[in-house]
Amino acid sequence: MRAVRVLSAALLTLGLAAAPAAADSSPSPEASGDGGGPTRAGTSFRTATEVEQGQTATARASTGDYLYWSFPADAGQRPTVRATVKLPESHAAQTWQVDVYDGLRRRQACQYGAQTRTAGAGAASVELACVLRTVRAWSEPWANDPLPGTYYVRLTALKLSADDLGKPVDAELRVESKDMGGATAVDGSLSEPLVPGVASRPQEESDDSPSAVLADLEPEDGWTSGWWSDRWIWTAIGGALAALAGVCGYRLTRGPGRPRHVPPGA
């Protein structure tokens, strides 16, 4: 009997060890996609799905849901947010809108782009775009300028018929930025980027402490906001040209020099 019990325990242990391996070998439904970005979206600011610039994020949702993503943007960048919603085969007219908020959850206006669009009955998809203003390294507290940090994207339908609520839709999101260079540089910089959790993060974190939400979200090359920009290069070139012009002007206006001394009675 003892040998039977030992054999049964060994078989049970082997079965439990093989179960996770079998579960890991099965494909995950969330992994279906192009592999370049996340395949889900959050339902609020706190659960927004992180997406890096240049990635294509996808999500499958129901008509009427609020979809949230977040991405980092640094000083000197002008982000462009593009969203595509693939609609069901049969539907009434629908109006979709994409909104962008900064790290303080202030809604940022779009310079241009179709932020709100209405898809007619039976349309296959609707495309939205929002080009933000250039992110500044520093701004006055009362201003609503975009600052370095985390940005949130919210995609939702504004006008729906009751019959269309709950129908499945597929959404795609892509964020890209253009570097505007030193022409938009300003003096000064933020002490910390506007990233959620950075202000409440303790000085010394233990492994048991909960991680701050989106505290580690940053551009691939890190935050570069600061005093340096290519404006300093043009300033140095302008100073060198001004000095050269001053030297040339002095040589042209000084004349032949002091008159030669002529002895009296000569």
Side-chain angles (χ1 to χ4, degrees):
M1 292 296 294
R2 185 176 181 181
V4 173
R5 291 177 183 176
V6 173
L7 182 59
S8 301
L11 292 176
L12 180 60
T13 304
L14 291 175
L16 292 176
D24 293 340
S25 62
S26 60
S28 173
E30 297 297 338
S32 59
D34 58 359
T39 56
R40 66 176 63 188
T43 56
S44 66
F45 285 102
R46 293 183 60 85
T47 61
T49 300
E50 300 177 9
V51 56
E52 295 289 344
Q53 295 192 27
Q55 288 184 334
T56 299
T58 59
R60 176 163 294 181
S62 299
T63 307
D65 290 344
Y66 285 86
L67 306 180
Y68 287 83
W69 293 271
S70 63
F71 67 92
D74 205 359
Q77 294 181 343
R78 189 179 67 184
T80 299
V81 179
R82 302 184 186 277
T84 302
V85 182
K86 298 179 181 179
L87 305 174
E89 295 182 358
S90 61
H91 63 84
Q94 300 180 3
T95 300
W96 288 80
Q97 179 170 308
V98 59
D99 297 302
V100 183
Y101 300 83
D102 63 5
L104 300 177
R105 299 185 185 179
R106 303 176 302 181
R107 184 175 180 272
Q108 292 294 321
C110 301
Q111 276 190 319
Y112 52 87
Q115 183 181 6
T116 304
R117 270 190 172 177
T118 300
S125 63
V126 58
E127 296 182 357
L128 308 168
C130 176
V131 181
L132 298 177
R133 294 173 295 168
T134 304
V135 179
R136 295 166 56 91
W138 178 85
S139 179
E140 295 289 347
W142 46 262
N144 193 33
D145 296 324
L147 297 171
T150 299
Y151 283 77
Y152 299 94
V153 179
R154 183 179 70 185
L155 177 65
T156 187
L158 300 180
K159 297 180 181 179
L160 291 171
S161 63
D163 296 336
D164 289 336
L165 284 174
K167 288 186 176 181
V169 294
D170 292 328
E172 292 183 0
L173 179 82
R174 187 174 181 86
V175 181
E176 295 177 338
S177 289
K178 179 180 180 181
D179 190 1
M180 304 305 294
T184 59
V186 295
D187 295 331
S189 62
L190 298 179
S191 59
E192 293 286 352
L194 300 180
V195 176
V198 72
S200 59
R201 187 189 305 172
Q203 296 294 331
E204 296 181 358
E205 283 187 313
S206 61
D207 296 337
D208 297 334
S209 62
S211 59
V213 179
L214 301 179
D216 297 330
L217 186 66
E218 64 178 26
E220 294 182 359
D221 299 333
W223 300 106
T224 58
S225 301
W227 61 273
W228 172 256
S229 68
D230 56 3
R231 185 177 59 174
W232 288 99
I233 300 177
W234 295 106
T235 302
I237 294 175
L241 293 177
L244 181 62
V247 172
C248 294
Y250 172 75
R251 293 180 63 89
L252 291 174
T253 58
R254 73 172 181 170
R258 297 179 61 184
R260 186 176 58 178
H261 178 70
V262 180

